[in-house]
Amino acid sequence: MADTTAPSASDTTTTTPRGQAGGGRKPEPSPARGTRAVLIGRARELALVPALLVLVVFGALVNDTFLTQRNLISILGASAALAMVVLAEALVLITGKFDLSLESVVGIAPAVGALLVLPAAQAGFGAELPVFVCVMAIVLIGAVIGVFNGLLVVKLKLNAFIVTLAMLIVLRGLLVGATEGKTLFGMPDAFYTLATTTFLTVPMSVWLAAVAFGVAGLVLKYHRVGRALFAIGGNPAAARAAGIRVERVMLGVFVVAGALAAVGGSCRRVTSAPSTPTRART
């Protein structure tokens, strides 16, 4: 007769998958390893701080006026426009694209605003619009350029490098043609509000750049739009599968970048009165 008795518990053996002990649970990472990874990430973010400190010390040793309040405020005011452009480019880079035309947007948007406020006798368009309208036009021009770049890159799937490089060249030529290569002068003082108005001895352009960076940081870290930007930059197909409207978000990033670059151009006082011709000595 065949043995029909069931095997006893002592006769059975249980095999555990390799690397899974204690009922199939994976070993948890040690707290020390997680802390070390966090510290390494923080160190990478602050890698340029020692170099900046060395430059500050070197500047203080070379020139006694380097660390004076007046010089530091002047450096901050001159860097405000560049900071706005850096922020604009950073937002585009997060999505995996880039916009080379922002450099020309900084120049052409304020120039067109100045031409709208100047009379024809001063090389303007002759519209002589109010300053507030011209300032709004500056931001609108930057946004329109961003829309155009976004449509070519996002909708038509053209190469971002080729499109934005061509736009940079075109805008630079339009700037020279609109101003006829002349220096613009005679704008109302209100046109330079961001560059000349101060709060706590610091120009308003610096405060505006600080607020823009703060808002961008909060959006990127806590808002769903910021998380969508990182998701698109990591894997657009996965972001689209997760329900993110990839094309709409990327188009919006190009628009915001153009507007920020135009505002950055308004932070600079790039125009000046022409120099008085000197009489030749006899």
Side-chain angles (χ1 to χ4, degrees), residues 141-212:
I141 290 170
V144 170
I145 296 173
V147 170
F148 188 76
N149 288 335
L151 290 176
L152 294 179
V153 174
V154 178
K155 295 297 183 181
L156 299 183
K157 308 297 182 182
L158 300 180
N159 186 279
F161 178 83
I162 301 299
V163 170
T164 57
L165 178 61
M167 181 60 66
L168 180 146
I169 299 172
V170 170
L171 294 179
R172 191 171 293 178
L174 290 176
L175 176 61
V176 175
T179 60
E180 298 180 357
K182 300 178 181 179
T183 300
L184 303 178
F185 65 96
M187 268 78 69
D189 293 338
F191 202 80
Y192 306 112
T193 300
L194 291 177
T196 58
T197 305
T198 60
F199 177 70
L200 299 178
T201 69
V202 178
M204 292 301 298
S205 58
V206 179
W207 293 109
L208 180 61
V211 171

Side-chain angles (χ1 to χ4, degrees), residues 43-279:
R44 290 176 179 175
E45 294 177 358
L46 302 176
L48 292 179
V49 173
L52 293 177
L53 293 177
V54 171
L55 291 177
V56 170
V57 173
F58 180 76
L61 294 176
V62 172
N63 195 332
D64 296 336
T65 62
F66 181 78
L67 290 180
T68 59
Q69 179 182 0
R70 182 177 181 180
N71 185 59
L72 293 178
I73 292 176
S74 177
I75 293 174
L76 289 175
S79 303
L82 179 60
M84 298 295 287
V85 179
V86 169
L87 177 60
E89 190 66 54
L91 295 177
V92 180
L93 288 174
I94 290 174
T95 63
K97 303 293 182 180
F98 49 86
D99 190 349
L100 300 177
S101 66
L102 295 178
E103 178 189 354
S104 293
V105 175
V106 172
I108 193 170
V112 172
L115 292 173
L116 291 174
V117 77
L118 288 176
Q122 296 180 349
F125 291 151
E128 300 185 37
L129 298 177
V131 177
F132 177 78
V133 176
C134 294
V135 172
M136 293 296 101
I138 292 174
V139 181
L140 180 61
I141 290 170
V144 170
I145 296 173
V147 170
F148 188 76
N149 288 335
L151 290 176
L152 294 179
V153 174
V154 178
K155 295 297 183 181
L156 299 183
K157 308 297 182 182
L158 300 180
N159 186 279
F161 178 83
I162 301 299
V163 170
T164 57
L165 178 61
M167 181 60 66
L168 180 146
I169 299 172
V170 170
L171 294 179
R172 191 171 293 178
L174 290 176
L175 176 61
V176 175
T179 60
E180 298 180 357
K182 300 178 181 179
T183 300
L184 303 178
F185 65 96
M187 268 78 69
D189 293 338
F191 202 80
Y192 306 112
T193 300
L194 291 177
T196 58
T197 305
T198 60
F199 177 70
L200 299 178
T201 69
V202 178
M204 292 301 298
S205 58
V206 179
W207 293 109
L208 180 61
V211 171
F213 269 84
V215 172
L218 292 175
V219 170
L220 291 175
K221 189 172 184 179
Y222 298 107
H223 200 270
R224 58 185 179 86
V225 174
R227 294 191 293 268
L229 295 183
F230 285 106
I232 294 172
N235 191 331
R240 188 177 291 106
I244 299 175
R245 298 181 177 180
V246 176
E247 287 76 13
R248 179 177 296 184
V249 174
M250 292 182 64
L251 181 59
V253 168
F254 275 96
V255 175
V256 172
L260 287 176
V263 174
S266 302
C267 294
R268 310 185 301 167
R269 187 165 182 170
V270 295
T271 56
S272 59
S275 58
T276 304
T278 57
R279 185 175 299 177

